[in-house]
Amino acid sequence: MLGAGILYLIGLKDGDAQSSIASAQTKPTVENETDKNFPIATWEDQAQARNVDEKRRKKNSRFEGTKWVEKTVYDTDSKSNLITHWQIGLPALPTKKSDAVIIGTVESAEAFLCNDNGSIYSEFFVKIDTILKDRKDPSIKINDHIAIDRAGGRVKYPSGRVFKYEIQGQAMPRVNGRYVFFLNYDEGRDMYLIVTGYEISDGKITALDGKGAAKGSGFDFIEYNGMGEFEFLNQVRDAINAPVVSKEEIRIP
């Protein structure tokens, strides 16, 4: 049931989407600065993987069942690029599809293998400085530190080889970067998942996702690259406050 598992990977809500995999491929690559934003988890055997607390086990279960992570990798390969078409139909400012929209600084990051070692996800610890939108019951506050999660990461195997697992078009936020994050909340597992994000640096905006994507490929996030922070945040607030005009507007792809 790989297709069902991918719903969990992309950070959208259970039952909100039907996501399909076009391909999962590996190819040689050279580590770059973007790769370094992917936290590293060390490969563990099953006995070690079971030695986690209940809260972590619940989080791990969000990403299980995909059999994405390989038990062994070859010297000719260095990454697995999973294509899920998660971006199709997702607005560049997915305020209606997000439970929370925050501005915060990433202070640290860590990667985790799931309970079955079949998948990997990354967790980022963020200090909140602004809350643009939250769920109906206030659960986060300014200056809170929260953990936010996204499928993917890097695995260091016993051979010493480091292998990257990524969803095509999804990047990882960098430590010390300040971002506007669009988040979904998994109540059963008490965890926030990244829908998408935008980095704020030197008063300018850069989309977290869709780097290098061709125009018309569905990665509309890049249209905001280079926009000033003030103008961008005004557009985010306008999108949050805009009325929902139809069911189609809030449909998860």
Side-chain angles (χ1 to χ4, degrees):
M1 298 297 291
L2 183 56
I6 295 303
L7 279 175
Y8 292 144
L9 292 180
I10 61 177
L12 301 178
K13 297 178 184 177
D14 298 5
D16 281 342
Q18 289 297 322
S19 180
S20 63
I21 302 168
S23 66
Q25 58 190 359
T26 59
K27 60 182 180 179
T29 189
V30 177
E31 182 181 70
N32 53 39
E33 289 303 313
T34 301
D35 291 342
K36 292 177 182 177
N37 293 336
F38 282 67
I40 297 176
T42 301
W43 178 265
E44 300 174 310
D45 63 29
Q46 287 299 100
Q48 290 174 301
R50 285 195 295 269
N51 188 26
V52 296
D53 62 33
E54 186 58 28
K55 184 174 182 178
R56 178 59 58 190
R57 186 177 298 281
K58 281 186 177 181
K59 285 190 174 186
N60 290 352
S61 70
R62 171 83 190 193
F63 303 92
E64 285 180 343
T66 64
K67 298 182 180 179
W68 186 18
V69 172
E70 301 288 344
K71 293 182 179 180
T72 54
V73 294
Y74 303 98
D75 290 342
T76 54
D77 298 326
S78 58
K79 73 175 183 178
S80 174
N81 185 21
L82 196 62
I83 302 173
T84 66
H85 304 298
W86 64 277
Q87 80 282 8
I88 302 300
L90 187 68
L93 300 179
T95 55
K96 298 295 188 289
K97 299 180 180 181
S98 303
D99 294 313
V101 183
I102 67 167
I103 304 173
T105 301
V106 179
E107 296 190 340
S108 62
E110 192 172 358
F112 297 91
L113 284 161
C114 294
N115 303 321
D116 60 0
N117 274 4
S119 192
I120 183 172
Y121 66 101
S122 295
E123 190 163 88
F124 302 88
F125 298 92
V126 177
K127 183 178 181 180
I128 301 171
D129 63 55
T130 304
I131 299 171
L132 299 172
K133 175 185 177 180
D134 193 13
R135 296 180 302 136
K136 292 179 181 178
D137 52 324
S139 59
I140 53 177
K141 299 178 178 63
I142 292 174
N143 293 324
D144 274 359
H145 289 77
I146 66 168
I148 62 177
D149 298 272
R150 169 164 267 191
R154 291 187 289 170
V155 176
K156 184 175 183 180
Y157 287 89
S159 65
R161 185 159 187 77
V162 176
F163 198 88
K164 184 173 79 166
Y165 294 87
E166 64 178 347
I167 305 291
Q168 186 184 55
Q170 290 190 359
M172 298 295 186
R174 65 181 183 87
V175 173
N176 297 322
R178 182 169 175 258
Y179 291 85
V180 179
F181 285 114
F182 296 80
L183 305 172
N184 272 339
Y185 183 68
D186 182 332
E187 187 170 2
R189 300 175 180 87
D190 188 24
M191 65 190 297
Y192 283 94
L193 298 115
I194 300 172
V195 178
T196 193
Y198 293 86
E199 184 171 11
I200 303 172
S201 180
D202 297 325
K204 299 293 183 182
I205 297 300
T206 303
L208 174 64
D209 298 324
K211 289 181 175 64
K215 191 172 183 178
S217 61
F219 290 99
D220 297 331
F221 321 106
I222 57 178
E223 70 182 73
Y224 291 102
N225 286 348
M227 182 177 284
E229 175 183 354
F230 182 78
E231 181 183 358
F232 177 76
L233 292 180
N234 278 342
Q235 292 203 25
V236 173
R237 291 186 177 98
D238 287 346
I240 290 170
N241 295 324
V244 176
V245 297
S246 70
K247 291 183 179 180
E248 180 67 18
E249 182 178 339
I250 61 172
R251 181 181 61 84
I252 297 292

